[in-house]
Amino acid sequence: MGIAPDKLTDPAVRAFVAALNAGDRDAFAAALAPGATMSDDGSDRDVADWTEREIFSSGGHMDVVSQTGDGLGLVADYRNDTWGEMRTAWRFTVDGGKVGRFETGQA
């Protein structure tokens, strides 16, 4: 049994996961700090391009399995229509109450 998004410790991470799972582009954009950056498996990616491809146009969804004590690290079963489901790790940097950077990759 995973962790419901509304039970995540950090409000910015909670907003990020809720928007991702709802497929809500506007709420997702609102969860990100201006100029937010990201990496996937250690390579920096363009946030808009990556999120459109890996989340919004492919039905991306996170089932959070665990979170770190500070709430800024997650392990989640991530699925989309392109890749199916895989265990992933997520690390967030929060800036001014919004996600300034996220790093994801296979766990």
Side-chain angles (χ1 to χ4, degrees):
M1 189 66 197
I3 300 170
D6 64 354
K7 302 292 190 223
L8 295 172
T9 307
D10 187 273
V13 173
R14 193 163 57 233
F16 178 101
V17 174
L20 186 158
N21 284 349
D24 187 332
R25 288 175 173 85
D26 292 337
F28 189 85
L32 299 178
T37 61
M38 66 147 309
S39 70
D40 183 5
D41 284 330
S43 299
D44 275 26
R45 307 285 188 191
D46 177 86
V47 173
D49 177 63
W50 187 91
T51 55
E52 181 58 36
R53 189 176 64 251
E54 300 293 340
I55 298 171
F56 299 115
S57 65
S58 61
H61 192 274
M62 287 173 81
D63 289 317
V64 179
V65 177
S66 63
Q67 65 180 329
T68 56
D70 63 5
L72 298 176
L74 303 177
V75 172
D77 289 328
Y78 187 81
R79 66 180 184 273
N80 67 24
D81 299 338
T82 306
W83 305 108
E85 184 168 310
M86 66 185 78
R87 181 64 51 100
T88 56
W90 299 73
R91 185 80 197 157
F92 297 90
T93 303
V94 174
D95 180 18
K98 294 184 182 286
V99 173
R101 180 171 176 82
F102 64 96
E103 297 172 350
T104 186
Q106 291 197 54

